[in-house]
Amino acid sequence: MLNNIKTKVVCMALLGLSLSACEDKLNIEPRGSISPEAVTPSDTEVLLNGVYDGFQGGASSYHYLSFLTDDLSADNLAYRATFFQHGEVDDNSISANNLLTQYFWQGLYKGIYRANFFLQTVDKLDESTFSRPARKDEVMAEARYLRAYGYYSLVTRWGGVPILREPTTEKVARNSEQEVWDFIIEDLKFAVENAGDFRDASYVSKSAAKALLARVYLATKNYAEAEKLAEEVIANEKFRLSDDYDNIFTNKSNAERIFHLNSTANDGTSMPYFLIANVELPSTGKNTNGGRFELPIDNSLAAAFEDGDKRKATTLQPIVFGGVDYFMAYKYRLSADGSNAWTVSRLAEMYLISAEARAEQNNLIGALERLNDVREKRGLLPTVAVTQDGLRLKIEQERRVELAVEGHRWYDLIRTGRAIEVLPNVTSENQLKYPIPQAEITVNELLTQNPGY
């Protein structure tokens, strides 16, 4: 599977740089690298930066796909330009030879490899030699959260995938989808128990672990636990719904952010580069710092906002590009160089998870309360629903406009059984999973292809 990863040394540079610098130079220990046997507790913070970097984008130059394919597979983003592989994702007709989804798969497993290497190395260290004994479990918890996040990205696109608990280049067969979910829950439970308290959205905390675990429980229909964890995060005084929706995406310290993958221009995340055009915005009269604008907003998302919903201006902007009218994704406009932070979890999602979990437990009054908490904060009138099905649709709609281009819509429609009904290009259950990359099957005969490919 990870046939090109044969690292024999810990090669995460002192600023948390990529493993790729040493992957092909097995006989040379790069300057600034550390052999596993020489790692001390004082090294672990630097090494942990390398694990974060793997999921921010350092493990793959095409890691932006892990952020954008969800909205592109659904009806929030569209395909405009030159990469036909983007078009396959948009059309829900992905080839097993699609290079971009292949890089997406490989990038996630490289990040998981880093997490496993870190966990294996740090597990051998004596906790009493850390700055404080609890710090060992805290850094282990951060790495296990990131590993769980990687597997969440995999299972929601491909279904059952190989579970790797340690760094290995051995050929491994696929686990069942349920086994992957169980593994994610195992890692996140450890993170909930052992991660540190919230200090900054750029670092994994107990609250970040609770937030992702609440999402996982919602996906696996454990509604009582999803509600419980979401409510615990809501009750944390360090977080609050923002009075200014735009500020959530222009201010990395906004109190609505629970955890984000923070990036600099050097990380090469590239995600905004494919969203932003270099044009003058009619709304501001100023030029954006744009990229190649491969992926405009789908017109159906633009039409989904209610009149007067201020979130629309933050989510998208009408532009003219090449003489054609488009809507441009605008949440990640700080720069096309990749320095935006990708929000993994924020507080509004916790309100909507609680609303949905309550609705599924037939607590319609409680569900409406949490749904309307979000709407009222966004300047909208409260909504009403008299049936469970009606409330489900209202929550689905609110999730779409509140969390647009944040990596939720595709799997939201799958887990609620609505993808075939809502998405015109999806006519078969087989399309609800991506094909296992053919390049991976070629080098690992234990891998089986998803049905329909």
Side-chain angles (χ1 to χ4, degrees), residues 70-71 76 215 245 248-249 256 301 305 311 315 331-332 342-353 356 374 378 395-410 412 415:
D70 192 283
D71 288 273
N76 284 347
R215 185 191 303 173
Y245 186 75
I248 299 169
F249 306 98
E256 192 160 319
L301 174 59
F305 288 87
R311 292 175 292 191
T315 303
K331 285 183 175 179
Y332 309 105
W342 175 257
T343 301
V344 176
S345 296
R346 60 183 178 88
L347 193 59
E349 184 199 357
M350 297 301 101
Y351 277 82
L352 295 175
I353 285 176
E356 186 173 339
V374 175
R378 305 308 183 217
I395 293 169
E396 177 188 299
Q397 159 67 12
E398 201 65 31
R399 285 183 65 90
R400 185 182 188 191
V401 295
E402 173 68 32
L403 305 173
V405 199
E406 296 182 47
H408 296 273
R409 176 69 170 168
W410 170 243
D412 277 353
R415 66 180 177 76

Side-chain angles (χ1 to χ4, degrees), residues 244-281:
D244 182 351
Y245 186 75
D246 196 69
N247 189 257
I248 299 169
F249 306 98
T250 58
N251 177 8
K252 292 181 181 181
S253 62
N254 185 283
E256 192 160 319
R257 293 181 181 233
I258 301 167
F259 178 64
H260 59 222
L261 290 167
N262 198 13
S263 297
T264 68
N266 291 330
D267 289 322
T269 303
S270 303
M271 177 262 294
Y273 182 69
F274 289 88
L275 296 175
I276 304 297
N278 189 8
V279 294
E280 181 179 298
L281 289 179

Side-chain angles (χ1 to χ4, degrees), residues 115-171:
N116 283 336
F117 210 105
F118 176 87
L119 290 165
Q120 183 182 73
T121 302
V122 174
D123 188 50
K124 300 173 184 177
L125 301 178
D126 184 345
E127 66 178 23
S128 68
T129 60
F130 283 73
S131 58
R132 47 191 174 83
R135 186 58 186 154
K136 177 180 177 179
D137 279 346
E138 286 177 1
V139 297
M140 297 279 281
E142 290 179 55
R144 289 184 69 168
Y145 170 98
L146 292 167
R147 182 170 69 178
Y149 175 73
Y151 273 108
Y152 175 84
S153 297
L154 286 162
V155 75
T156 54
R157 273 72 166 190
W158 283 279
V161 296
I163 294 174
L164 306 180
R165 291 179 176 269
E166 58 186 30
T168 179
T169 58
E170 297 299 316
K171 297 176 180 179

Side-chain angles (χ1 to χ4, degrees), residues 284-340:
T284 65
K286 298 179 180 179
N287 267 61
T288 57
N289 182 9
R292 60 184 295 147
F293 190 50
E294 289 267 344
L295 306 175
I297 291 288
D298 192 287
N299 289 337
S300 69
L301 174 59
F305 288 87
E306 300 170 48
D307 291 341
D309 192 338
K310 296 178 181 179
R311 292 175 292 191
K312 184 174 183 178
T314 294
T315 303
L316 58 93
Q317 287 280 303
I319 64 169
V320 177
F321 188 80
V324 180
D325 291 331
Y326 291 102
F327 293 103
M328 181 181 70
Y330 201 52
K331 285 183 175 179
Y332 309 105
R333 63 189 179 275
L334 293 183
S335 178
D337 65 8
S339 59
N340 290 81

Side-chain angles (χ1 to χ4, degrees), residues 34-94:
I34 310 167
S35 68
E37 296 75 18
V39 171
T40 68
S42 62
D43 301 317
T44 57
E45 304 296 338
V46 172
L47 299 181
L48 185 58
N49 286 344
V51 183
Y52 278 95
D53 176 73
F55 292 96
Q56 288 161 200
S60 170
S61 59
Y62 294 90
H63 197 69
Y64 70 90
L65 283 165
S66 69
F67 306 136
L68 300 181
T69 53
D70 192 283
D71 288 273
L72 185 59
S73 286
D75 48 2
N76 284 347
L77 290 175
Y79 160 67
R80 183 198 65 82
T82 55
F83 283 6
F84 73 89
Q85 293 97 336
H86 285 152
E88 289 185 354
V89 177
D90 186 34
D91 291 339
N92 306 108
S93 59
I94 305 172

